[in-house]
Amino acid sequence: MKYGYFDDENREYVITQPDTPLPWINYLGCQAYFGIISNTAGGYSFYRDARLRRLTRYRYNNVPYDLGGRYIYLRDDESGEFWSPSWQPTRHDLKNYTCRHGLGYTIIESRYSGIEARTNYFVPLDEDLEIWRFTVTNRRKTRPSLSIFSSIEFCLWDAQDDATNFQRNFSIGEVEIEGGVIYHKTEYRERRNHFAFFACSRELAGFDTQREAFVGAYRGWDKPAAVERGRLSNSVAHGWAPMGAHHVKLDLGPDETQELIFLLGYHENPAEQKFDPPTSQTLNKKTVKPIIAKYLNGAHVATAFENLRQYWDGLLGICQVETPDVHTNRMVNIWNAYQCMATFNMSRSASFYESGIGRGLGFRDSNQDLLGFVHMVPARARERLLDLAATQLPTGGAYHQYQPLTKRGNNDVGSNFNDDPHWLILGAAAYLKETGDWGILDEPIPYDNVLGSEQPLYEHFQHSFQYTLDRLGPHGLPLIGRADWNDCLNLNCFSDTPGESFQTTTNKDGRAAESVFIAALFVLAARELAEIAQRRGRKDEAQRYLAEAAKMEDTVRKHGWDGEWFLRAYDDFGRKVGSQECAEGKIFIETQGFCVLAGIGLDDGRAQRAMESVSKHLATEHGIILQQPAYSKYYLELGEISSYPPGYKENAGIFCHNNPWVMIAETRIGNGDRAHDYYARINPSAREPISELHRCEPYVYAQMIAGRDAPTHGEAKNSWLTGTAAWNYCTITQWILGIRPFYEGLEIRPVVPKSWRGFKATRRFRGVTYHITVERAGPGNQVALRVNGVPSEGAVVPAPAEGQREVTVDVTLT
Ligand code: GLC
Ligand code: GLC
């Protein structure tokens, strides 16, 4: 069953039923001001940091879920009846409800009792505000008197504090109201230079800023007392719960439409110009007023929306494909790229599953998120890389996370996730291949943000490399530390205290437990580093990287192979993890995918065998399971992985993030059929027809789909913020369709299903547009290129002559 449909033309997903299995959300904003918006207008907004600059309040895990949002109420002033045109919170039986989630905007439309309403929510480019462009049309034959009420609830900035520290919060809320604009200025009197504003384009019949005055005691947002009464009380919040509500009255003739604009925004004043007059405690509004005036103007709003559409046309235009598979096309051309922007911006901080309070930007996560984003806005990828590198520690290790506002490493979570440092190399290699910007390697970057510790970025990679060599275990494999990619394989944790964090608890000295995964990651990173060193004229260093990679590969062959598949790890007792010898957790996906992806086992048949084992033991119709058999009980020596009930998350869930590693591995052994088959199994668009089972949004990947050991096999969770987005994007575009940025040019090596007769693609790369046509002349993956009609050696299209902007590439597969 479906709850809507894809409108590919408009690049929208159109939800036609408000009671989706879960809130189906979208993101507003893609630069500094962000919002989450559900299909019933729920969600919240923030500036840069979802925890420390939260504008609006949200009630997590509530009943009904998804409570707190950008709610508008319509009221028929003759009958007194009122409803929410976004369905929530009043949940009336709306006619013609649709929610169009588009790229950076959401439009919710409905009709009730002859009144049509449409709200377009979006954030204009380069502005720190969101627009609610509200239009109402009267389809009655009469001329009703209507009231429109807007409402939002302010969060007192620090979302963590906001949800806990009521003894203070209930006394600090402050607002100002001037010219119909509601200003939220809690804590502005002291150390904050920022405030929020909520404005409306029409003359007001009233306003409210105190929640209790609007909602009424012992009531909910579904029945606010003020809306029921049809009148706001011009309340001015002093403490308690500041909110914003506007009341506008409208008389509409038959078939008449009118537009209203609401603005919610964030603004900072220079420290020395906070107050106006300076000796007062009154907000200086001089700098914000022109911005408000501009966007309360319908013509400017229309232009801003058009600009946003064009911005996305430009970004998505960088890579467009036309394959025989509609789901591939839709995800590559629209949604997967869009999700990559969201993961780049949010990391794992703010979604319906991430509260925005707990997690900053992950070192490992952000470096991987870059992989799917770097082609869109390379300048931002560059900045992110440098920020990440600056949190690297002098040991080569890294803070596991940092806070986006301060860009400082997060001491609560700390370091010692021994895979972390290598992702920096992979992120940087992707950046270099895309841009050819070799200058980045010379950027002076500090360690742990300590002034004076700067070294060229390139030296940071060497530290990453050395970090692993300095931490080898009894078998010569890398020590795992707190965890590797799999946060839940905590081999040094040994926690028996309820509630203790698996991520930060360490009870062992860490000298025994080893990770085959990190070994594979090391091999891949060392080879990438060698490529970089070569091109930087550091031949000796390149040799050394290659030699260490070869040595590690050898160690994996000796100590990391279990006979039919790659081992996963050795625990603190030196016992195997992910082996036939184990009672549970005999085979893991990570090392099968990553070893082969790194090239291990390609020449000795191990790669094929590992892939056969994946197909036999881990593949299901809903995707590839993380490990089998699931852990049926808690193992002290394995940690969080065994804390999850079987079939969920890292304990044998389908952890979508690492499915693409197996797809890439399949392409590396030339198996396009299987690579694409695995791709299709977790492709959200392909899963749309089973939405009642999948439950999450059909337009974005989820982190996890319940595995076969779970009673809910096939049900997705944790949509949006997952490394799945970047990895699937890279897998389908670079490995299956095979259009791969490389140092010397664009490499084209498709490994597509045998049944495909070909496909087309356009790729903008370093200022040149490549028009690529692939045709199948035989069943294999051999490529022959013709560039602008002329046969060309190899699979890399060389950069064209200066000034040439368009290149045609014809590829024959045999
Ligand atoms: C989560 C984390 C990621 C980790 C993965 C596997 O997605 O954000 O860092 O690799 O889980 O545990
Ligand atoms: C839990 C989750 C894992 C995530 C980690 C982040 O361990 O299972 O997926 O990476 O938390 O802190």
Side-chain angles (χ1 to χ4, degrees):
M1 179 186 169
K2 300 189 198 182
Y3 297 84
Y5 60 92
F6 285 95
D7 178 347
D8 293 336
E9 192 82 10
N10 284 305
R11 296 173 166 161
E12 292 171 338
Y13 189 80
V14 188
I15 300 164
T16 50
Q17 187 174 324
D19 53 340
T20 45
L22 292 161
W24 284 3
I25 72 159
N26 191 14
Y27 286 89
L28 306 176
C30 54
Q31 293 160 314
Y33 182 100
F34 298 105
I36 288 178
I37 184 163
S38 74
N39 57 306
T40 59
Y44 57 91
S45 301
F46 57 95
Y47 174 75
R48 287 193 193 276
D49 188 315
R51 171 167 170 188
L52 298 175
R53 291 281 196 282
R54 182 78 67 92
L55 266 77
T56 58
R57 189 170 283 152
Y58 188 74
R59 298 198 154 64
Y60 310 96
N61 195 9
N62 218 292
V63 181
Y65 47 35
D66 191 13
L67 202 65
R70 301 167 183 83
Y71 298 137
I72 292 174
Y73 301 84
L74 266 165
R75 183 176 188 275
D76 182 330
D77 286 337
E78 274 133 47
S79 67
E81 192 183 20
F82 64 92
W83 67 96
S84 308
S86 60
W87 194 59
Q88 283 249 66
T90 68
R91 295 189 298 281
H92 279 66
D93 188 13
L94 302 174
K95 300 255 164 350
N96 305 346
Y97 161 91
T98 59
C99 166
R100 296 180 165 266
H101 282 320
L103 306 182
Y105 66 90
T106 288
I107 299 172
I108 302 178
E109 289 174 274
S110 65
R111 175 174 170 152
Y112 186 79
S113 154
I115 307 297
E116 283 172 9
R118 177 185 205 268
T119 318
N120 179 359
Y121 298 93
F122 73 100
V123 174
L125 292 170
D126 305 319
E127 299 288 1
D128 299 325
L129 56 86
E130 64 186 64
I131 295 174
W132 312 358
R133 188 182 186 189
F134 181 73
T135 48
V136 49
T137 305
N138 172 26
R139 296 290 179 212
R140 296 183 189 169
K141 299 214 158 42
T142 55
R143 189 179 184 89
S145 292
L146 296 176
S147 275
I148 293 151
F149 299 92
S150 65
S151 69
I152 47 111
E153 195 179 354
F154 291 113
C155 178
L156 306 185
W157 301 115
D158 178 339
Q160 167 81 45
D161 206 51
D162 181 75
T164 47
N165 195 8
F166 305 110
Q167 61 77 26
R168 171 177 162 88
N169 294 345
F170 284 165
S171 293
I172 61 173
E174 289 189 297
V175 296
E176 283 181 33
I177 302 100
E178 192 188 303
V181 182
I182 294 165
Y183 296 90
H184 174 230
K185 58 164 200 174
T186 299
E187 289 185 344
Y188 189 79
R189 58 167 54 242
E190 25 121 354
R191 292 156 297 176
R192 294 185 186 278
N193 300 342
H194 48 264
F195 57 90
F197 55 89
F198 188 37
C200 170
S201 61
R202 292 296 180 103
E203 193 179 325
L204 303 186
F207 63 85
D208 265 321
T209 65
Q210 183 58 275
R211 188 183 69 204
E212 199 177 65
F214 181 79
V215 177
Y218 299 101
R219 283 175 175 248
W221 295 96
D222 57 336
K223 252 182 178 229
V227 177
E228 192 174 275
R229 186 172 64 227
R231 194 170 39 78
L232 302 185
S233 55
N234 298 349
S235 59
V236 180
H238 299 285
W240 295 111
M243 56 103 52
H246 306 103
H247 178 195
V248 173
K249 291 192 171 208
L250 282 186
D251 275 340
L252 284 183
D255 291 324
E256 188 186 343
T257 299
Q258 292 207 19
E259 179 178 282
L260 280 77
I261 296 159
F262 297 99
L263 298 182
L264 172 64
Y266 170 94
H267 193 72
E268 282 176 17
N269 273 335
E272 60 294 351
Q273 294 170 31
K274 279 176 70 164
F275 302 107
D276 180 28
T279 50
S280 75
Q281 288 289 299
T282 311
L283 252 184
N284 173 9
K285 307 178 186 79
K286 286 201 184 101
T287 54
V288 76
K289 276 185 177 166
I291 302 171
I292 296 176
K294 176 173 177 192
Y295 289 103
L296 288 179
N297 174 316
H300 281 132
V301 168
T303 312
F305 187 63
E306 197 38 48
N307 290 344
L308 180 67
R309 304 248 345 180
Q310 279 174 16
Y311 175 74
W312 274 105
D313 283 351
L315 288 184
L316 298 183
I318 297 169
C319 179
Q320 289 287 298
V321 304
E322 217 183 298
T323 78
D325 176 41
V326 58
H327 305 297
T328 300
N329 300 345
R330 182 179 282 152
M331 290 310 289
V332 171
N333 295 342
I334 309 168
W335 294 101
N336 196 174
Y338 183 58
Q339 188 178 359
C340 286
M341 171 69 92
T343 57
F344 176 84
N345 284 327
M346 301 287 133
S347 186
R348 309 295 171 267
S349 68
S351 73
F352 263 69
Y353 307 86
E354 305 282 5
S355 64
I357 290 173
R359 299 171 78 179
L361 274 78
F363 193 89
R364 145 195 328 135
D365 290 338
S366 294
N367 274 304
Q368 291 172 81
D369 293 341
L370 278 177
L371 306 176
F373 173 80
V374 61
H375 67 291
M376 288 196 271
V377 195
R380 290 188 66 200
R382 186 182 208 274
E383 186 190 344
R384 177 67 53 81
L385 266 174
L386 300 183
D387 287 348
L388 286 164
T391 65
Q392 190 174 26
L393 299 163
T395 56
Y399 278 106
H400 196 49
Q401 294 174 7
Y402 77 90
Q403 284 308 125
L405 263 193
T406 60
K407 297 189 175 173
R408 292 296 186 271
N410 179 348
N411 278 313
D412 297 343
V413 183
S415 162
N416 294 336
F417 294 77
N418 284 352
D419 62 317
D420 270 334
H422 296 296
W423 298 110
L424 179 67
I425 302 178
L426 299 192
Y431 174 79
L432 283 174
K433 289 179 193 168
E434 180 69 38
T435 60
D437 168 20
W438 290 90
I440 193 175
L441 297 179
D442 298 316
E443 290 282 347
I445 306 296
Y447 292 89
D448 194 9
N449 280 293
V450 173
L451 220 68
S453 67
E454 291 81 0
Q455 283 187 345
L457 178 65
Y458 178 76
E459 304 293 324
H460 281 254
F461 305 158
Q462 296 187 314
H463 280 66
S464 296
F465 172 78
Q466 194 57 40
Y467 180 83
T468 292
L469 292 182
D470 291 345
R471 286 165 185 74
L472 297 178
H475 298 91
L477 290 163
L479 293 171
I480 197 168
R482 285 190 178 159
D484 59 24
W485 173 87
N486 190 331
D487 266 338
C488 298
L489 193 60
N490 316 118
L491 303 180
N492 292 303
C493 180
F494 286 76
S495 172
D496 54 11
T497 306
E500 198 167 59
S501 163
F502 289 105
Q503 306 278 301
T504 53
T505 307
T506 307
N507 283 311
K508 293 286 165 178
D509 65 8
R511 302 230 181 105
E514 299 168 287
S515 162
V516 179
F517 174 81
I518 300 179
L521 180 63
F522 174 84
V523 170
L524 183 66
R527 290 187 174 143
E528 292 283 6
L529 195 48
E531 299 267 5
I532 295 171
Q534 292 274 10
R535 288 173 178 78
R536 243 177 106 84
R538 310 252 189 134
K539 298 253 162 9
D540 293 352
E541 283 168 23
Q543 285 314 317
R544 182 165 164 250
Y545 299 141
L546 290 177
E548 291 294 350
K551 200 163 143 203
M552 187 66 82
E553 182 169 351
D554 223 44
T555 309
V556 172
R557 281 209 194 93
K558 270 199 210 96
H559 300 295
W561 178 252
D562 195 54
E564 292 300 319
W565 55 75
F566 291 99
L567 271 182
R568 179 64 178 82
Y570 288 92
D571 70 13
D572 183 62
F573 307 106
R575 294 181 311 212
K576 294 174 181 169
V577 179
S579 158
Q580 298 274 14
E581 291 171 17
C582 306
E584 300 185 322
K586 289 173 189 287
I587 172 171
F588 279 68
I589 189 174
E590 298 101 310
T591 38
Q592 316 319 319
F594 227 86
C595 285
V596 179
L597 188 163
I600 305 174
L602 285 177
D603 52 358
D604 61 10
R606 283 185 166 95
Q608 272 82 357
R609 269 155 75 196
M611 289 304 103
E612 281 316 308
S613 298
V614 167
S615 156
K616 191 163 150 203
H617 301 289
L618 299 178
T620 77
E621 60 176 314
H622 297 294
I624 312 169
I625 292 179
L626 195 143
Q627 111 278 16
Q628 282 287 284
Y631 293 116
S632 61
K633 56 178 202 243
Y634 179 57
Y635 291 85
L636 188 67
E637 68 278 20
L638 298 180
E640 185 169 9
I641 189 167
S642 58
S643 75
Y644 285 113
Y648 293 109
K649 296 276 291 185
E650 283 86 344
N651 187 13
I654 294 158
F655 215 91
C656 297
H657 185 144
N658 52 33
N659 278 225
W661 301 344
V662 172
M663 299 169 205
I664 298 176
E666 289 287 1
T667 66
R668 296 220 59 180
I669 61 170
N671 199 341
D673 280 332
R674 222 189 231 162
H676 194 269
D677 176 19
Y678 287 152
Y679 173 77
R681 294 187 203 193
I682 62 166
N683 181 317
S685 160
R687 296 175 63 77
E688 188 201 17
I690 53 163
S691 285
E692 80 281 17
L693 172 64
H694 184 80
R695 301 188 83 222
C696 281
E697 296 91 334
Y699 40 93
V700 288
Y701 286 98
Q703 181 202 60
M704 189 215 39
I705 298 174
R708 74 157 84 92
D709 303 283
T712 55
H713 185 33
E715 181 190 50
K717 274 184 201 146
N718 298 7
S719 54
W720 282 96
L721 302 185
T722 160
T724 311
W727 275 105
N728 268 289
Y729 189 81
C730 290
T731 299
I732 185 69
T733 57
Q734 301 185 9
W735 295 92
I736 298 179
L737 302 179
I739 303 168
R740 204 148 60 225
F742 193 61
Y743 298 103
E744 279 74 39
L746 201 58
E747 182 173 354
I748 309 184
R749 251 186 228 288
V751 184
V752 294
K754 290 201 182 60
S755 60
W756 285 20
R757 300 188 50 198
F759 68 91
K760 288 192 171 152
T762 341
R763 178 66 155 87
R764 283 209 306 274
F765 176 66
R766 301 189 196 169
V768 179
T769 305
Y770 293 85
H771 303 275
I772 303 163
T773 309
V774 177
E775 274 183 25
R776 195 181 260 309
N781 307 307
Q782 295 304 315
V783 295
L785 304 191
R786 270 180 305 131
V787 178
N788 291 330
V790 182
S792 174
E793 280 284 299
V796 178
V797 186
E802 267 293 303
Q804 199 182 330
R805 290 274 161 266
E806 311 270 324
V807 171
T808 317
V809 188
D810 293 292
V811 183
T812 312
L813 285 183
T814 50

